[in-house]
Amino acid sequence: MRRLTRTATAALSACLLAGGLAAAAPTSADPSHGRHHDRATSWGPTQKEVREARRYVADLTLSELAGQVVVARYAGPASPQKFIEDRHLGGVTMFADNIASVEAIKGVNEGLQATNDRPYPLWLAVDQEGGRVARLGAPMTLFPSFMSNGAARQRHLTRAAAKASAREVRDAGFNVAFAPDADVTAGPADPVIGSRSAGSDAGVVSQMVTAALKGYEDGGVLSSIKHFPGHGSLTVDSHLGLPRYGGTLEELRAKDYKPFEAGIKAGAPMVMIGHIDVPQLDDGTPASLSRPVITGELRERLGFEGVIVTDALEMGAIVEKYGAAEAVVKTLQAGTDVALMPADTDAAIAAIDAALRDGTLDEKQVRAGATRMVALLIHEKNQKQPRNQIGTHTKESLDLSRAALTSVAGPCRGRLVGDTVTVTGQKVLTDAFTTAAKAAGLTVAPGGTTVALLGRADAATSADVVVSTDTPYQLGTSTATSKLATYGQGPQAMQALVEVLLGERRARGTLPVPVDGVERTGCSSRR
């Protein structure tokens, strides 16, 4: 995926923003001397791919255009082929109820693209961040949460893990992965982002986000940084209601914007807009429906030229005040390119169609958004990637898990447990730990060294060794000789944990968030 500077893509961007129908002018940096030199945009597609997309979008009827800019949710594991075709949907995003198995959803995806009669691909998306947000399970390689990257602080490992995940997601038939999360978490008061964030330091989050973006690019999957203008500082879950940003605009721009600015400079192809009320910009209006936020801040202030997609429009922050029809028209008026998961797909498409016909929506603007979308899909299709990738990247997951594992109390060297351990916690955690322990020759039975495994919602506890497997906040009030954080619950996270318990490896990570009550931030840094 070749890229240009913003200066070199100004002509192309102007064409898209003005309506996406005029041919892009050659740039002064073109070295072809009369021979066409196909340059990349700053956000992914080449100019040739943009011109191709523009031709296709120009031929869409208004009804087809209305469906093209919607990516919908559907019910059940059966193929949504007719659902997509009847509405000319841009595509669909898939959740647990759609995925009977990895093999089954791969067959559905391949079938959808094979029967697609458009000259460009469908948008087939999935949330596959790692950690607790991973719609695709075994036999996919399971990666720890994105917070593990903030604990490891090694960009090459972040890039390698993202590339590995992207290759597996692509091999399962998806072309869009809604990751990485660019939010800066505020800590325990953050009810929804948590371990999905790389941490509470905007600089560290920025580094991990840019590394992950390069990895997804390497792996040939379209990625999306989210949730602009920043969800990590909020104390209300936007799935349930509309969060309101309580700081100043200067604070928002100085901290929460940083990872998005870094991601845009690194060539992010897509930005997801969150349902966040920023009163200093557009009081009472979700960012996802706000022109001052989407066009004013993201497009004009930060200079983003790629695809803008909403967070799910069926979420509580939207549906409690806006109907599906009103919300989808408002977000497109605000400058969004792709409307994700409206609460009522048919009502949303009908509203877009009607608004295009009566002039409520600017047809040129909507066609420009569809052009960006289609250009990205063509670009992804043109990336060559190896096949048979599913489940083949345990090394990348293990390398990241080993580098992230953090010790905040107890010895930094040597064995932490006896020959037998007694493990407590949720069954999914104890099962994964037991498998890893047995593989390492460690006996799990009553009467041994006690090891307590804590999930995200578990209360602090006491044991010889206490281990947090999501965010590390419970470690501050737990009682134990040794306290460890894995930031993941998968096989490789548990293998890394067992290695440290047996003294075979040191815990090398550093807490990516402040935790009150711990002895140190990691074995290499005491506090």
Side-chain angles (χ1 to χ4, degrees), residues 245 247-257 278 280 301:
Y245 181 73
T248 67
L249 186 56
E250 291 72 23
E251 289 169 337
L252 182 72
R253 289 171 175 167
K255 185 184 79 170
D256 297 88
Y257 276 23
V278 183
Q280 300 89 341
R301 172 175 283 272

Side-chain angles (χ1 to χ4, degrees), residues 147-159:
M147 187 169 277
S148 64
N149 295 281
R153 301 187 188 186
Q154 296 188 41
R155 283 176 283 187
H156 70 286
L157 294 181
T158 298
R159 181 170 182 169

Side-chain angles (χ1 to χ4, degrees), residues 6 182 202 206 209-210 213 225 228-229 252-268 271 297-298 301-304:
R6 184 168 294 132
S206 298
V209 164
T210 56
L213 284 171
I225 48 177
F228 187 81
L252 182 72
R253 289 171 175 167
K255 185 184 79 170
D256 297 88
Y257 276 23
K258 274 190 175 180
F260 293 96
E261 290 177 299
I264 289 166
K265 289 178 181 176
V271 174
E297 294 293 295
L298 184 55
R301 172 175 283 272
L302 300 188
F304 180 59

Side-chain angles (χ1 to χ4, degrees), residues 25 27 41-42 88 139 174 189 284 303 329 339 376 434 446 465 484 493 497 505 511:
T27 70
T41 67
S42 63
H88 201 278
F174 294 94
V329 171
L376 265 187
T434 299
V465 181
L484 306 171
L497 171 61
R505 290 181 180 271
L511 282 178

